[in-house]
Amino acid sequence: MGSQEVLGQAARLASSGLILQVLFRLITFVLNAFILRFLSKEIVGVVNVRLTLLYSTTLFLAREAFRRACLSGVTQRDWSQTLNLLWLTVPLGVFWSLFLGWVWLQLLEVPDPHVVPHYATGVVLFGLSAVVELLGEPFWVLAQAHMFVKLKVIAESLSVILKSILTAFLVLWLPHWGLYIFSLAQLFYTTVLVLCYVIYFTKLLGSPESTKLQTLPVSRITDLLPNITRSGALINWKEAKLTWSFFKQSFLKQILTEGERYVMTFLNVLNFGDQGVYDIVNNLGSLVARLIFQPIEESFYIFFAKVLEREKDATLQKQEDVAVAAAVLESLLKLALLAGLTITVFGFAYSQLALDIYGGAMLSSGSGPVLLRSYCFYVLLLAINGVTECFTFAAMSKEEVDRYNFVMLALSSSFLVLSYLLTRWCGSVGFILANCFNMGIRITQSLCFIHRYYRRSPHRPLAGLHLSPVLLGTFALGGGVTAVSEVFLCCEQGWPARLAHIAVGAFCLGATLGTAFLTETKLIHFLRTQLGVPRRTDKMT
């Protein structure tokens, strides 16, 4: 498969994922805004911080390293060995869920049962839901490796929507159930997610006329189960060693990704109510990152991993592939920078209004607006880091991954200390400041790697981080106008003034996007050619 074909598939994966993710996430977003009006801050804090941390930690430790290793760019592999390796995530998930469940029940502060009832049941069911989700891991990796564009997005979005509907129904009719509501909804979500993959592959492999069977390494649904390979080896030991390297890295990355939740959970720097407000604002601020940046990062990681070879210098690889990778990286960096700057500039003047509309006075008063404004700048760093690490992790050799682990270890330690100190000094905003510091360090590490990778070639993908002075001036002017508009029109002047404030922002945003369209012609060409409507002959399910 040529690099241009892989690029086209990765781009369609990102664009299709983006469209469906936006549609389904917006529905979920509205449902969650409705649910917030019936919950206490304490229950929100326990569910979204304590129990969700248990679930995400179990999944991350059990599967993240396997995903990265098994999706690395190996053209010839024994898929039976790869699938056997992936099934190891299930016993690992059982171990981590039991161990972490014991920690959550025996070592951490238990919420007041009168305020947050059924905490122990919540811990058990959230741990069980993580194990259930791991049962679908071989199906997920096979679908990702073969670029099944719509399957992943539809399965995850359908599961999220059904989970939100079930949660809303239980909150309205059985509010006294407390954590039972969210625990059952979480278990329902993972069950639906796994069933979507199992049903899809069962039907696909049961249809001999399907054209996709020619590209799949399995012909029966039983081939996806653990089995002894022709060579007699159960697993590919090279993949296993790479998995171990990624496991050490994933453990550290998890601390960086969920660091504020670990500090809140283990150091008790915020009460459950403050944790709830922080997490709601955090989820609202990261909405764009989940909708736009994450699908792009996941899709183009696969592209870079397939096009580039880990153990070779850029000058020793096929130069056409290296050139395509450099052009794509430059365009992705430009796209991430523009999206992040737009959110940072316009988010500052509309944070309070967004929180008031979404959650009422519980969010728009107090520290909520300051949190969201700070998070808007953090989104800019998230966007750039997602692209740079997407390339870096796909191009690094095993030895470079191991060396990077030491950097991640230092970052993890500094983040925990810094977040604790900053939170003591300036409250929950300290978490965002600590995240910004560590994200800046991670971006610097990735930029240094990219510079070294291309220094002997004529390609300069880091030019994607340069914007024209005209566009930068437009951003500055738009930020100043909307800031003045907020002072005079928002948010205590009634809805006519709020609508006028929104109109000012829409005009400034339109002017900024128009300027970007005229000045960043190279990026516009990339978006038109690679993220446009797929051709009929290239459609995939």
Side-chain angles (χ1 to χ4, degrees), residues 415-484:
F415 172 78
L416 294 176
V417 174
L418 189 62
S419 60
Y420 177 78
L421 295 176
L422 289 176
T423 305
R424 291 292 186 185
W425 173 48
C426 55
S428 52
V429 178
F431 285 123
I432 300 177
L433 297 178
N435 272 312
C436 289
F437 172 80
N438 280 277
M439 197 61 66
I441 300 297
R442 288 168 63 178
I443 291 172
T444 302
Q445 291 290 325
S446 297
L447 292 179
C448 290
F449 174 83
I450 294 170
H451 175 74
R452 292 194 304 268
Y453 191 85
Y454 280 105
R455 63 184 173 185
R456 297 179 183 177
S457 74
H459 311 293
R460 295 295 178 264
L462 296 183
L465 294 175
H466 299 155
L467 295 179
S468 69
V470 175
L471 183 55
L472 289 175
T474 306
F475 271 116
L477 181 61
V481 171
T482 53
V484 173

Side-chain angles (χ1 to χ4, degrees), residues 165-211:
I165 293 174
L166 177 62
T167 304
F169 175 81
L170 294 177
V171 165
L172 283 175
W173 292 98
L174 299 167
H176 59 281
W177 276 22
L179 293 185
Y180 280 155
I181 295 173
F182 301 94
S183 303
L184 292 174
Q186 182 67 26
L187 186 59
F188 178 71
Y189 160 79
T190 56
T191 303
V192 172
L193 181 63
V194 172
L195 284 177
C196 286
Y197 281 96
V198 173
I199 292 172
Y200 177 84
F201 277 103
T202 300
K203 289 188 175 183
L204 177 64
L205 298 175
S207 303
E209 68 276 5
S210 175
T211 58

